Amino acid sequence: MVIESGARPGLTLAAVAVVQFMVSLDLSVVNVGLPQIAAGLGFSAVGLTWVIHAYALTFGGLLLLGGKAADRYGRKRVLLLGLGLFGLASLVGGFAQEPGHLVAARAVQGIGAAALAPAALALLTTTFPTGKARVRAFGIWSATNAAGGALGVLIGGLLTEYASWHWVMFVNVPMAACALALVWRGVAAGPPPARSSRPDVLGAVLATAGMTLLVFGVVRTDQYPWTSPVTVTTLAVAAALLVAFVHVERTTTREPLIRLGLFANRSVAGANAYNLLVGAALASAFYFVSLYLQRVLGTGPALTGLMFLPLALGVVAGSVLAVKLGYRLAPRTLLVIGGLLTATGFAWFGLISPDGAFTTDVLGPSIVASVGFGLGLGPLVSIATVGVARHETGTASGLLNSSRQIGASLGLAVLGTVAHHRTGQTATPETLNDGYALGLTLSAALLAAAVLIALTVLRRTSPPSRAEQADDRDSLPARD
């Protein structure tokens, strides 16, 4: 293995882990506190959903630009810039006094995360390119990624009930400062990047605007039916913007956000399609389970967060298990097993009852779904960068993250709308339960579709060879 001069693999891995934990945390940390945020700032029912969407859409829509910037301007520089922006937006958001203030801060957080995530993942890919060190590094990455998303609900609930909702924003500031110190000290500047042309900013704007309008159109169907002129026009404009994005990527004289030829790589195409569906299912399931605990079973924010702890621990356990099994099983096999387990857990969640309880309706499916999800995280990232040239690893990493966040926004918008229509106008525990159960069952169907993609699109591969498992020990973080 070749490591860039000045690099310290242990500190690099620690920095990437903190960054990924923080970015994942912010996808879920506000969920439990949404009722308190609405009361404190005066959000409307529709406007409140944009506390989630503002982050996920700017994050997902600008990730490709973030990956390209990491490749062109250097990963360390982009990491430092993104961390500063993310930390500042978190601080400002914690002091928000109006709905628009918080939504804007969440959008800026998403911009910072769009710079952070692909740069960090590309750095991990190039620091640990093969062998046992790569398996271990991606296992640690996947564990922190999973723990951030799952523990976000627990942390958000505790902070909301015992401090205030403002702290779901403030909590990011010390993490950003810690990551800044680790990146500054442990990440090498790297060789001067190639600068053949400027990144395609127009493409990034078209993609983000198109996805935002698409989600906006779906969410607003609670007031405007699918066949209404408002909805039809909104969705038509969204589609036009996304078509324009594809056209710009094919014809731009600047460096495109993504070389469309990357999708000819079956690993890239299959992994991102799988990831899109997993993101849609997971974000929706987290949302429905959180609301089921609070609005159907009447659980408080802190206890709701605590009830998500088995889910968080299960994801970490699955990620650790994936590292051990990764030496014996092919990545595609782990994806299939993990996807089937997660689908089983979500289908079990679909049996929730208005007369249920945590021990009978939540605990069991939480363990099954979370272990399955954790089992597939690391292998998915590894597959998505197989066969990708070194100078495009940032782009491929950004694409993978983008597919997860775009899937999360679209999935929550669509399944949330379907659940709302099932609930109807009378929001009783029984009708709410019916809506949430339907949403969770559909989440299981999305996971089943993801498994089918893994089986039909991804190529058969083998686990690491003995030579790769015995890779140079100097590359392992333990030696740093």
Side-chain angles (χ1 to χ4, degrees):
M1 172 183 294
V2 177
I3 297 176
E4 294 169 355
S5 178
R8 304 180 65 181
L11 288 181
T12 297
L13 181 56
V16 169
V18 173
V19 166
Q20 194 59 44
F21 181 86
M22 181 178 67
V23 168
S24 299
L25 180 84
D26 256 59
L27 290 169
S28 60
V29 72
V30 301
N31 281 356
V32 176
L34 286 175
Q36 288 76 11
I37 291 173
L41 296 181
F43 273 98
S44 66
V46 173
L48 186 63
T49 62
W50 287 95
V51 176
I52 297 174
H53 289 312
Y55 180 78
L57 285 171
T58 54
F59 187 8
L62 296 175
L63 269 167
L64 294 175
L65 182 62
K68 189 62 65 176
D71 287 338
R72 185 176 192 271
Y73 299 110
R75 285 143 201 168
K76 181 173 183 177
R77 182 181 299 177
V78 171
L79 270 174
L80 292 173
L81 178 63
L83 282 167
L85 190 61
F86 194 97
L88 181 61
S90 299
L91 185 64
V92 172
F95 289 111
Q97 299 297 315
E98 300 288 341
H101 297 167
L102 184 58
V103 171
R106 291 282 289 169
V108 176
Q109 277 186 321
I111 295 172
L116 291 173
L121 191 51
L123 188 66
L124 193 69
T125 300
T126 54
T127 303
F128 305 96
T130 59
K132 188 174 183 179
R134 181 182 176 91
V135 173
R136 181 179 299 181
F138 276 109
I140 293 172
W141 177 90
S142 62
T144 55
N145 180 35
L151 287 174
V153 183
L154 171 61
I155 294 170
L158 293 173
L159 290 175
T160 298
E161 184 154 330
Y162 297 114
S164 73
W165 70 262
H166 299 275
W167 281 94
V168 301
M169 300 293 289
F170 289 145
V171 70
N172 296 305
V173 178
M175 286 190 291
C178 176
L180 267 170
L182 288 170
V183 171
W184 186 268
R185 183 176 179 185
V187 176
R195 299 190 180 186
S196 56
S197 60
R198 294 182 179 180
D200 177 24
V201 177
L202 176 60
V205 172
L206 288 172
T208 305
M211 292 306 307
T212 301
L213 272 181
L214 181 59
V215 170
F216 181 77
V218 172
V219 170
R220 294 289 287 181
T221 55
D222 65 334
Q223 297 185 21
Y224 302 99
W226 287 99
T227 56
S228 71
V230 173
T231 299
V232 171
T233 301
T234 301
L235 296 180
V237 173
L241 289 171
L242 294 174
V243 169
F245 163 71
V246 174
H247 176 72
V248 167
E249 294 309 291
R250 295 181 63 182
T251 60
T252 183
T253 57
R254 293 192 170 195
E255 190 174 357
L257 290 180
I258 180 168
R259 183 176 60 83
L260 297 180
L262 270 178
F263 290 104
N265 182 324
R266 288 176 59 175
S267 293
V268 173
N272 280 279
Y274 183 101
N275 207 31
L276 183 81
L277 294 174
V278 169
L282 193 70
S284 301
F286 268 56
Y287 181 77
F288 291 133
V289 172
S290 177
L291 291 181
Y292 170 71
L293 288 170
Q294 293 186 84
R295 301 186 67 182
V296 177
L297 300 187
T299 309
L303 187 55
T304 295
L306 189 62
M307 288 177 175
F308 270 85
L309 189 57
L311 189 67
L313 296 177
V315 174
V316 175
S319 299
V320 173
L321 182 61
V323 175
K324 297 183 179 299
L325 293 178
Y327 302 137
R328 300 176 177 85
L329 299 177
R332 191 185 78 155
T333 302
L334 289 175
L335 278 189
V336 171
I337 295 173
L340 289 174
L341 280 175
T342 308
T344 300
F346 286 169
W348 190 355
F349 267 131
L351 302 177
I352 54 174
S353 164
D355 301 319
F358 169 72
T359 53
T360 57
D361 292 62
V362 177
L363 180 59
S366 291
I367 295 173
V368 173
S370 61
V371 170
F373 176 63
L375 199 60
L377 266 179
L380 180 64
V381 177
S382 184
I383 287 174
T385 54
V386 168
V388 176
R390 179 184 175 88
H391 69 277
E392 288 189 308
T393 54
T395 303
S397 301
L399 180 62
L400 187 67
N401 278 286
S402 183
S403 63
R404 172 70 60 84
Q405 305 315 323
I406 289 172
S409 286
L410 288 176
L412 183 56
V414 173
L415 297 192
T417 300
V418 171
H420 174 77
H421 287 319
R422 169 63 68 89
T423 298
Q425 299 299 318
T426 306
T428 64
E430 289 76 17
T431 58
L432 289 172
N433 183 85
D434 289 344
Y436 302 153
L438 175 61
L440 288 162
T441 301
L442 292 176
S443 296
L446 291 177
L447 258 298
V451 170
L452 184 61
I453 287 174
L455 289 171
T456 57
V457 178
L458 296 177
R459 297 182 185 276
R460 292 178 179 272
T461 57
S462 301
S465 66
R466 292 183 179 274
E468 289 177 324
Q469 291 186 30
D471 197 14
D472 185 1
R473 294 183 178 275
D474 289 338
S475 66
L476 296 178
R479 292 291 305 271
D480 194 55

